[in-house]
Amino acid sequence: MADNDDKKSGNKTVLRSASWFGTNDKNGFMYRSWMKNQGIPDHHFQGRPVIGVCNTWSELTPCNAHFREIAERVKNGIREAGGIPVEFPVFSNGESNLRPTAMLTRNLAAMDTEESIRGNPIDGVVLLVGCDKTTPALLMGAASCDLPTIVVTGGPMLNGKHKGQDVGSGTLVWRMHEDLKAGNIDMNEFLSAEAGMSRSAGTCNTMGTASTMACMAESLGTSLPHNAAIPAVDSRRYVLAHLSGMRIVEMVHEDLRLSKVLTKDAFLNAIRTNAAIGGSTNAVIHLKAIAGRIGVDLSLDDWEHGRGVPTIVNLQPSGKYLMEEFYYAGGLPAVHRRLGELGVLTKDALTVNGKTIWDNVKDAQCHNDDVIRPLDNPLVANGGICILRGNLAPRGAVLKPSAASPHLMKHRGKAVVFENFDQYKARINDPELDIDENSVMVLKNCGPKGYPGMAEVGNMGLPPKVLKKGIKDMVRISDARMSGTAFGTVVLHVTPEAMELGPLAAVQEGDYIQLDAENGLLQLEVSDAELAARLEKLKSTQVIMRTGGYMEMYRERVLQADEGCDFDFLVGCRGAAVPAHSH
């Protein structure tokens, strides 16, 4: 057949892969013959669904380094259900090692995924994801193809341990580094924590971006219930992988494509869930990018649906516990049930198991009310991502209330300006730096085009002179992102970014800035005329860097944070029409 509009003849699905393997001409001969060099028997080409297992395994991506075993469990499930598994790799976007930031290559991984799916004899696909950017990247690529798709994440690592205490991956680094700069710990203790933070395979065990995006995948309906929280090394993770393999074969026969699952209601459920779990600000960018690929109109204004939703998941960095406890307490289904009882879950949203999200969770149990709080005893009463606007962020900025300091949510302070991250590093430890706890730290040129790639540097460490006074938080503003494992009153994703000569570029040392989170205001106390004059002067002196290669294409074609940081030419669903023959 010529496109992905699968039709059924009687009870038998006409498969997309039949365009490769279903003919007895020269082309059918070649496609089957080359595949048979792997020992595939002839009857496997006789009408069985071919399921792609899209694997982001890499030893350079520690979060996903156990995916070979996960893939085998998925393939076992596919075979049991009568499908033919074909595993293929795509660019593994590892957060922990990749420089300058994995966000720079998220779109590259999405392109790899999209073209691998469309160009190969695949009827449905299982996405093996986990590390921060692999989940959105593969969902973006798959959404542009719109075949039956199911997500299997690798799961979080075991709780970290340091000096007899549970410690969270990522979050421990930020806290201990601040303690080191303040003189509260020595270098020996700082280094001794390394071995205890990451004790097993898996993603960060805090509610960082990896865990957040796993929760977003489940909230969107693209994975089986409980996928988000089962620990990476728990045997139940392998069971879920097996069942997901079985289910994708059924989805092909049912023609249950991503476009039937990724609806506007599904995205709104994800936004509300992000509030309930204290999820990462990175979800704002990634959900927008995924929505753009499938054709759902999602904007920053839609994040207002999360306002008023309480944060009930008591996990670091907002709270106390880690992902192990979250799973043992009932996991995401228990959260969704409470959201349903609150009346903020769209209950009839379809999920990949063919049931509605409410059918999946209506009987879910919570086994620990301190980990997943009751609605009348939340961690934060209003946990939704706060969208800020004003003359400093005409197209928006974001702040995570559950990780911020309540006394700083309304603040007016004098700007201490860092023109780029290198300047921040050069100045922040200077005892002569004119800064105190009432100042507002401003970091420029760290957005999508400025860094490039919009690195996670927005949660600037505080200056030692302030830390030594016992101060733990200050207002920080930038066009950058921050890790979901980080914390603080940090305003991020200021749009337009400084490199695009947004108003952030014109902030000068000593300017006063007003933050009013409750009213969604981020205001630079400079007149419109003065602001325009400053920007005009900057425009005349701006130098556009030419690097060549992927980085130059990225700078030329990447969209701003409020648009999801996708490439302008990748937005939209292009389907999976069968390409022309290769011979």
Side-chain angles (χ1 to χ4, degrees), residues 14-289:
V14 178
L15 299 171
R16 182 175 180 270
S17 59
S19 294
W20 280 261
F21 303 133
T23 63
N24 289 323
D25 56 8
K26 176 194 71 175
N27 287 304
F29 176 107
M30 288 193 299
Y31 294 129
R32 289 191 300 270
S33 178
W34 283 326
M35 289 293 284
K36 285 179 178 179
N37 80 351
Q38 300 175 83
I40 300 174
D42 187 69
H43 68 276
H44 278 199
F45 297 104
Q46 308 304 317
R48 297 192 184 196
V50 177
I51 306 298
V53 181
C54 185
N55 198 343
T56 52
W57 170 87
S58 170
E59 290 179 342
L60 287 169
T61 306
C63 296
N64 298 7
H66 59 305
F67 277 20
R68 283 177 166 172
E69 181 64 24
I70 296 286
E72 289 305 315
R73 305 302 178 124
V74 169
K75 289 192 280 187
N76 288 344
I78 293 169
R79 293 186 186 101
E80 181 178 341
I84 308 301
V86 286
E87 183 181 349
F88 64 96
V90 293
F91 183 80
S92 188
N93 219 22
E95 188 70 32
S96 55
N97 284 320
L98 200 58
R99 293 184 179 186
T101 169
M103 188 64 178
L104 180 68
T105 44
R106 183 202 65 176
N107 297 345
L108 178 64
M111 293 168 71
D112 190 353
T113 302
E114 177 180 351
E115 300 307 326
S116 293
I117 292 172
R118 183 179 297 113
N120 280 296
I122 291 172
D123 301 304
V125 63
V126 181
L127 307 179
L128 300 191
V129 296
C131 194
D132 295 16
K133 307 303 177 293
T134 58
T135 304
L138 269 62
L139 270 171
M140 289 161 64
S144 285
C145 292
D146 195 23
L147 291 179
T149 303
I150 195 167
V151 170
V152 176
T153 55
M157 66 179 76
L158 297 176
N159 289 359
K161 297 286 183 179
H162 179 60
K163 297 178 69 173
Q165 302 295 317
D166 285 345
V167 293
S169 46
T171 300
L172 177 69
V173 175
W174 314 127
R175 294 193 188 281
M176 292 196 72
H177 191 236
E178 297 290 71
D179 284 342
L180 181 68
K181 290 196 297 181
N184 297 330
I185 63 173
D186 62 20
M187 184 59 70
N188 287 332
E189 181 171 348
F190 181 72
L191 295 177
S192 72
E194 283 185 25
M197 189 179 80
S198 305
R199 298 175 47 241
S200 77
T203 60
C204 289
N205 51 31
T206 51
M207 190 53 75
T209 303
S211 294
T212 296
M213 292 312 299
C215 290
M216 295 298 93
E218 188 171 330
S219 301
L220 288 169
T222 59
S223 65
L224 297 182
H226 285 292
N227 172 74
I230 302 173
V233 294
D234 192 308
S235 61
R236 288 166 286 192
R237 171 65 54 188
Y238 295 135
V239 173
L240 183 136
H242 186 109
L243 294 176
S244 298
M246 295 181 66
R247 177 59 192 156
I248 188 63
V249 177
E250 296 171 348
M251 290 173 65
V252 169
H253 290 306
E254 296 166 8
D255 193 24
L256 180 51
R257 305 181 208 166
L258 269 180
S259 57
K260 298 179 182 179
V261 175
L262 291 178
T263 62
K264 183 66 175 279
D265 284 338
F267 283 97
L268 296 183
N269 279 342
I271 286 171
R272 296 172 183 125
T273 301
N274 193 72
I277 63 176
S280 169
T281 49
N282 287 297
V284 179
I285 293 175
H286 297 322
L287 287 183
K288 171 63 178 178

Side-chain angles (χ1 to χ4, degrees), residues 13 309 351:
T13 303
V309 175
T351 72

Side-chain angles (χ1 to χ4, degrees), residues 320-343:
K320 175 181 178 183
Y321 297 101
L322 297 168
M323 288 295 289
E324 268 194 81
E325 285 81 20
F326 181 45
Y327 177 58
Y328 305 148
L332 201 61
V335 175
H336 283 153
R337 178 178 176 180
R338 288 191 169 166
L339 291 179
E341 292 168 347
L342 185 62

Side-chain angles (χ1 to χ4, degrees), residues 201-472:
T203 60
C204 289
N205 51 31
T206 51
M207 190 53 75
T209 303
S211 294
T212 296
M213 292 312 299
C215 290
M216 295 298 93
E218 188 171 330
S219 301
L220 288 169
T222 59
S223 65
L224 297 182
H226 285 292
N227 172 74
I230 302 173
V233 294
D234 192 308
S235 61
R236 288 166 286 192
R237 171 65 54 188
Y238 295 135
V239 173
L240 183 136
H242 186 109
L243 294 176
S244 298
M246 295 181 66
R247 177 59 192 156
I248 188 63
V249 177
E250 296 171 348
M251 290 173 65
V252 169
H253 290 306
E254 296 166 8
D255 193 24
L256 180 51
R257 305 181 208 166
L258 269 180
S259 57
K260 298 179 182 179
V261 175
L262 291 178
T263 62
K264 183 66 175 279
D265 284 338
F267 283 97
L268 296 183
N269 279 342
I271 286 171
R272 296 172 183 125
T273 301
N274 193 72
I277 63 176
S280 169
T281 49
N282 287 297
V284 179
I285 293 175
H286 297 322
L287 287 183
K288 171 63 178 178
I290 297 165
R293 294 299 192 94
I294 203 68
V296 169
D297 182 15
L298 193 73
S299 72
L300 279 181
D301 292 336
D302 287 312
W303 283 84
E304 292 300 322
H305 288 272
R307 301 295 286 162
V309 175
T311 299
I312 59 174
V313 176
N314 186 12
L315 259 64
Q316 296 180 33
S318 300
K320 175 181 178 183
Y321 297 101
L322 297 168
M323 288 295 289
E324 268 194 81
E325 285 81 20
F326 181 45
Y327 177 58
Y328 305 148
L332 201 61
V335 175
H336 283 153
R337 178 178 176 180
R338 288 191 169 166
L339 291 179
E341 292 168 347
L342 185 62
V344 297
L345 188 77
T346 301
K347 296 180 176 180
D348 61 356
L350 183 65
T351 72
V352 290
N353 68 357
K355 301 178 182 178
T356 68
I357 193 167
W358 186 244
D359 285 338
N360 287 336
V361 306
K362 62 185 179 182
D363 297 319
Q365 299 295 310
C366 176
H367 308 296
N368 187 329
D369 280 343
D370 194 37
V371 177
I372 303 173
R373 297 281 190 88
L375 294 168
D376 59 1
N377 182 32
L379 188 69
V380 178
N382 185 350
I385 296 292
C386 181
I387 304 301
L388 303 167
R389 286 189 173 87
N391 70 345
L392 189 52
R395 285 167 52 183
V398 304
L399 183 147
K400 179 178 175 179
S402 64
S405 300
H407 73 280
L408 291 175
M409 295 288 274
K410 187 171 185 178
H411 183 80
R412 179 178 180 268
K414 192 181 295 186
V416 177
V417 178
F418 308 100
E419 293 295 328
N420 52 56
F421 194 55
D422 285 338
Q423 190 186 89
Y424 158 77
K425 289 187 289 185
R427 295 182 64 202
I428 194 63
N429 295 322
D430 184 355
E432 300 303 315
L433 182 65
D434 185 12
I435 190 170
D436 63 25
E437 60 271 26
N438 298 310
S439 302
V440 175
M441 298 170 65
V442 176
L443 177 63
K444 305 178 185 178
N445 294 303
C446 293
K449 297 184 179 183
Y451 200 79
M454 203 180 183
E456 293 181 338
V457 295
N459 56 312
M460 294 168 276
L462 307 191
K465 63 190 293 183
V466 172
L467 291 167
K468 288 173 181 176
K469 294 164 68 173
I471 302 299
K472 300 292 187 183

